[in-house]
Amino acid sequence: MIYDKTVLLPLNVDQAFELITQPARLRRWQTVAARVDLKVGGEYRWTVTPGHHAAGTFTEIEPGKRVVFTWAWEQPEAPADNVSTVAITLEPADGGTTVRFVHEGLPTPEALAAHSEGWNHYLDRLLAEASTGDAGADEWAAAPADLNELTSADATLAIVQRVLAHVTAADAQTQTPCADFNVSQLLDHLAGSIGGIARALGAEVADDAGKSPEVRIADLAQPTLEAFYRRGLEGTIDMGFAELPATMVASILNLEFLVHAWDFAKALGLEVSVADELTDYVEVLAQNTISEQVRSSGSFAPAQEVAETASSLERLVAFTGRTVHA
């Protein structure tokens, strides 16, 4: 069964091709995270929404004209025959570039209906991104239906990446709510935290402070979470300084992503919107992770009081020791 739809983007073919193939551009409209080896025989892996990962191999590439790749869902519950093919063809047109998406080999009417809903959603976002430069936060990534330490890490990563997309070189020396860190220092801290977890998981990562803040953190977080999903949440992880339960290490990623998203947003005067279901869940992770012993080590300040009217996110950041002003 086949899904077939064409959209007209107000971009030239090279710009349109980048939007559908480059990780930094894919994150703007279709994915939370993306790994792409753009060559025939190269592999890709996309976190489309938290906990939902598509992967496959490129079988045909004509830069600026066409890209074809296999498509399969990575989840354990996905059927064995879930491999299909996506072909995307670009042609110059009046007003921009037509982009035709053909997804064939879908095995059942139910699979066609599900993938049609997904493609329609994301092609609407692609058109918004191409037209306005900002497709906005993806509501499908806001609150995973099946929350666990890894799906919530995907969701909180989406939030911090969206905040970091606003950070520029001019913000480097701006003070954050963390007394010891300006924006540049907090970026280094976040990159170091992710990199340490990545190495403990056996993932190969390389930090590059010369990248834009969003790309820097995204390029560290994607292989870290991919390695974590493949490892799973069982047992313990040797972090070098201690053996920690895998669930605790994943919880630390959640806190790094979401709490620092709040820190960066406050430093830049931005509002950060988070679904209460997600923040409530991460607050439970924080309560299970931040012990008095951890606070006494200096990693977290004492929990702060908040008003009864405080939001779920404000309660979380107050628990981590940040002062929330009314």
Side-chain angles (χ1 to χ4, degrees), residues 169-184:
D171 301 312
Q173 302 305 312
T174 302
Q175 181 61 44
T176 73
C178 302
D180 296 334
F181 297 131
N182 60 28
V183 166
S184 177

Side-chain angles (χ1 to χ4, degrees), residues 277-292:
E277 303 96 310
L278 178 61
T279 313
D280 290 345
Y281 180 78
V282 177
E283 185 178 5
V284 173
L285 299 184
Q287 292 168 350
N288 293 334
T289 303
I290 305 173
S291 64
E292 290 307 314

Side-chain angles (χ1 to χ4, degrees), residues 1-3 79 81 103-120:
M1 307 193 81
I2 299 176
Y3 172 86
D81 62 348
H103 192 161
E104 60 182 344
L106 296 166
T108 65
E110 292 76 16
L112 175 61
H115 285 83
S116 296
E117 181 183 12
W119 280 117
N120 289 339

Side-chain angles (χ1 to χ4, degrees), residues 248-268:
M248 179 176 289
V249 177
S251 297
I252 292 169
L253 275 178
N254 279 267
L255 294 174
E256 292 285 347
F257 294 153
L258 185 52
V259 175
H260 291 324
W262 185 87
D263 290 331
F264 287 118
K266 286 298 177 183
L268 272 62

Side-chain angles (χ1 to χ4, degrees), residues 8 10 14 34 44 54 63 176 181 183 192 239 247 251 253 291 296 314-315:
L8 175 63
D14 292 332
Y44 75 92
T176 73
F181 297 131
V183 166
M239 292 298 296
T247 51
S251 297
L253 275 178
S291 64
S296 65
E314 289 171 334
R315 291 197 306 272

Side-chain angles (χ1 to χ4, degrees), residues 3 5 7 9 26-32 47-50 71 73 101 112-130 135-143:
Y3 172 86
K5 184 170 183 176
V7 294
L9 304 184
L26 286 164
R27 290 193 298 270
R28 302 284 293 182
W29 64 278
Q30 186 177 22
T31 72
V32 173
T47 301
V48 180
T49 59
W71 177 282
W73 292 105
F101 289 77
L112 175 61
H115 285 83
S116 296
E117 181 183 12
W119 280 117
N120 289 339
H121 172 76
Y122 285 107
L123 294 186
D124 284 346
R125 289 180 52 77
L126 172 61
L127 184 56
E129 176 64 28
D138 182 8
E139 64 269 26
W140 284 16

